Amino acid sequence: MIEIHRILKEKEIVIDLLKKRNLDLSSDINYIHDVEIERRDYQKLTDGLRHELNILSTDISNRERCTILKQKIKKNLELMNGLEKEIFNLLVKIPNIPSQDVPFGKGYDDNTHIYQKNHHHPETKGQLKHWELIDKYKIGSFDLGNKITGRGFPVYIDKGAKLQRSIINFCLEEAAKFGFIEYEVPILVNKESVFGTGQYPDKDDQMYFIDKDDLYLVPTAEVPLTNIWRDVILDKIDLPILATSYTPCFRREAGTYGKDVRGLNRLHQFDKVELVCI
């Protein structure tokens, strides 16, 4: 989240850098700037009222004035809380500022090539695609998944199911060799957790949400795993923290249709072993 003091000091720079992300957020940034100045004015006024109240409160004859001051302070605090909430709700929706080194551009072709190595790719003519191999060896079925649930929920069969389970175990065992501690975590998380790792509100439309229980299905084990240390102050002696976890992952992948999403690409449910390093 962009620090408010940077918007106050470098408002125009912030606006220009965000344009590198093809976003014109000048109206939002200007609004946040003006509201924060208004909030700070209320803060100064409230501090002055508190100072006066502290002086007058020692004399009982000033009771009426003290009552008026307390009412003004209370009203100002309510106004400031409202302004702070308004600023926060806008800030969480604004993406991070790119580096000064990032070039302006609208697509892949506008990127700057720093290093490139030509790789030899073997001839692929006549070779089967992965979804064709799945059908040929009967190790999975997209049709069954579609029948049971819908598109993006494949069924793995026999050796396909064994392969899936074996890869999960292999990844967890390899992570353990490098000192990662394994956690089994919930696959349903609350809003504080998806906010803590940045999925909410930025990727809210990509997550599955259970309205009745106000819970989200995890888009990745990163969410529950990282939130173990949410609001925790760590000592240097405890670092680094290495954690791993396997979970099924759920993503709506809204709008991802076309030639690059066939087969096991862009699934709504998939397995993943996550690594988190703090």
Side-chain angles (χ1 to χ4, degrees), residues 212-224:
K212 187 175 181 179
D213 301 294
D214 199 26
L215 294 173
Y216 293 83
L217 282 166
V218 296
T220 161
E222 170 198 342
V223 176

Side-chain angles (χ1 to χ4, degrees), residues 36 87 112 120 159 175 221 255:
E36 175 60 13
I87 291 170
T112 301
H120 172 69
K159 290 183 180 179

Side-chain angles (χ1 to χ4, degrees), residues 24-36:
D24 184 1
L25 296 174
S26 54
S27 59
D28 286 340
I29 298 298
N30 282 317
Y31 185 74
I32 290 170
H33 177 275
D34 294 344
V35 172
E36 175 60 13

